[in-house]
Amino acid sequence: MVSVQPPQHRDAIDGVRGLAALSVLAFHVWLYRTDRPHGRRSALIDHVLFSANIGLIAFFVLSGFLLYRAYARAALSGAAPPGAVGYARRRIARIVPAYYVCGIGCVILYVTVGPDTILPSPASLPAFALFAQNYSLNTLMQLNPVLWTLSIEAAFYAVLPLIALAAAHLEFKAHALLLVGLIGGGVGFNVLDHQLLAGEIPGKTLPAYIGVFAVGMLAALLVERRNKSLTAGFTAICMLLGFAMVILRAVWNESPIGDPLARAALLAPLSAVGFALVVAAAAEGRGPAIAWLRGRPLAYAGLVSYGVYLWHVPVILVLDHNGALPASLAPRMLVVAAVTLAVATVSWRVVEQPVIARVRDRRGRARGWAKPAVEVA
């Protein structure tokens, strides 16, 4: 089973993806500078750009929402869930080819033009091929620092059908409680990590982020339970409340208010709930509150967002190493964005889109050449 959405909703979802990708790009342009202020941030622009890393949470919420929606619909209706083989084929097609091309491209770039300080040893490269780079300090944050999030994403893809299987025959309340339990489990793991666990690895594994994915999954369940579009007024409320929660999270993170343990445990879920409201509005809403998400530049950035996400840090590192980036923040941002969008366009047209189309054609042939549904994930 796959999700069918009107084009305007697909464009709005792409708009959310575009916001998330450009947000993470802006954070890393700010981060990777020799003249970046260290220690306590005081300037407003530093507060804002540091908080732009929250785009990662948006991506995880989107994955939870979009991928779980078909399972939620099947559980609520009693229909058959998506087939495991088809699900695996689509997930592999969506992330693996572009990921491998990026990894190989990074090795070639670093060896030929630098910097070579971020290159892992040849013996450790198989860990990247298996999305296992997060589980060793020899590979964590090496090659391309953003790839640690793909390791978590791949782990989520593996466990999602198992979660769906556990929920398949539950009543709605029990189903919702299961997902709430996953959110609570994520909070509990982060409390444990903050208090007892040592090192970088635990915080970069799926248990640390399962609650964020589960917020998106719960939103998908609630949307499918409601089973009708949102009114323009309710769409606006979801958008306003969602962005207010995201901003509140950023303000709280940048303030000394509150217990550090509470902040470590609750910051990600708070922003995840905010993004879940925005994603639900984009997926099922209408009216002017989401019309801006469908704007062509933002929707296009969302269409090629995977390439933007994969390539923006290597672009920064290579250009900076070779003295090709302006020192001032604004022109630096523009150069990185322009080069990254160009590379992401090539990635989409040459690598991602052909592979995805081939998988969809194969599914269509298996169904007797029926026109394939549009899959929003």
Side-chain angles (χ1 to χ4, degrees):
M1 180 185 294
V2 292
S3 299
V4 181
Q5 283 190 315
Q8 64 268 24
H9 287 149
R10 294 198 301 273
D11 288 346
I13 288 291
D14 275 341
V16 178
R17 284 194 185 100
L19 276 178
L22 295 175
S23 172
V24 175
L25 180 148
F27 166 71
H28 283 124
V29 172
W30 172 85
L31 184 69
Y32 286 99
R33 290 182 298 140
T34 56
D35 61 343
R36 175 175 59 85
H38 294 271
R40 187 175 180 83
R41 290 169 288 277
S42 57
L44 178 60
I45 188 65
D46 293 323
H47 285 303
V48 171
L49 291 177
F50 175 77
S51 297
N53 65 357
I54 203 173
L56 170 63
I57 302 299
F59 276 123
F60 285 168
V61 171
L62 275 164
S63 290
F65 181 90
L66 296 175
L67 296 179
Y68 197 66
R69 194 167 178 185
Y71 290 104
R73 185 183 305 120
L76 291 169
S77 66
V85 174
Y87 166 83
R89 185 182 297 124
R90 291 190 296 274
R91 290 302 90 214
I92 291 170
R94 187 64 191 95
I95 71 165
V96 172
Y99 171 91
Y100 280 1
V101 169
C102 180
I104 294 169
C106 286
V107 171
I108 295 172
L109 281 171
Y110 299 158
V111 168
T112 55
V113 299
D116 59 6
T117 54
I118 200 169
L119 270 173
S121 66
S124 63
L125 288 177
F128 290 90
L130 298 173
F131 293 85
Q133 62 270 21
N134 287 18
Y135 309 115
S136 169
L137 292 177
N138 294 325
T139 50
L140 182 64
M141 306 302 286
Q142 294 293 300
L143 187 61
N144 180 352
V146 301
L147 296 186
W148 73 267
T149 66
L150 271 299
S151 178
I152 292 176
E153 190 85 17
F156 174 67
Y157 291 169
V159 304
L160 176 63
L162 302 178
I163 297 171
L165 181 63
H169 301 293
L170 297 178
E171 296 293 333
F172 169 74
K173 290 183 179 179
H175 193 159
L177 284 174
L178 173 64
L179 299 179
V180 171
L182 289 176
I183 298 170
V187 171
F189 181 86
N190 284 302
V191 170
L192 180 66
D193 182 27
H194 186 79
Q195 288 188 311
L196 300 178
L197 302 180
E200 295 183 63
I201 290 177
K204 288 183 169 58
T205 59
L206 180 60
Y209 287 93
I210 188 62
V212 172
F213 288 107
V215 168
M217 295 162 69
L218 181 59
L221 179 66
L222 295 174
V223 164
E224 287 299 323
R225 169 78 168 186
R226 191 173 188 275
N227 196 29
K228 59 181 178 180
S229 297
L230 307 179
T231 65
F234 194 61
T235 299
I237 291 172
C238 286
M239 290 290 287
L240 289 172
L241 183 57
F243 278 116
M245 293 183 71
V246 171
I247 293 170
L248 175 63
R249 178 268 187 199
V251 172
W252 187 22
N253 188 48
E254 291 295 274
S255 74
I257 299 172
D259 178 70
L261 181 60
R263 288 146 66 100
L266 299 177
L267 281 172
L270 178 64
S271 54
V273 171
F275 280 124
L277 289 168
V278 172
V279 169
E284 290 298 323
R286 51 185 163 175
I290 61 167
W292 63 278
L293 288 172
R294 299 195 297 268
R296 184 167 296 179
L298 195 55
Y300 184 77
L303 179 69
V304 300
S305 59
Y306 187 42
V308 171
Y309 192 82
L310 286 174
W311 281 102
H312 72 278
V313 170
V315 165
I316 294 170
L317 294 176
V318 170
L319 292 182
D320 193 46
H321 179 76
N322 290 278
L325 284 181
S328 298
L329 184 59
R332 190 182 186 92
M333 196 85 69
L334 290 174
V335 170
V336 171
V339 174
T340 301
L341 283 168
V343 176
T345 297
V346 174
S347 175
W348 170 250
R349 293 182 179 177
V350 177
V351 181
E352 300 165 57
Q353 190 178 37
V355 175
I356 293 169
R358 185 177 301 173
V359 170
R360 285 178 175 167
D361 288 345
R362 181 173 180 177
R363 183 175 58 201
R365 289 194 298 271
R367 293 179 176 181
W369 295 101
K371 183 179 179 180
V374 177
E375 187 176 30
V376 299

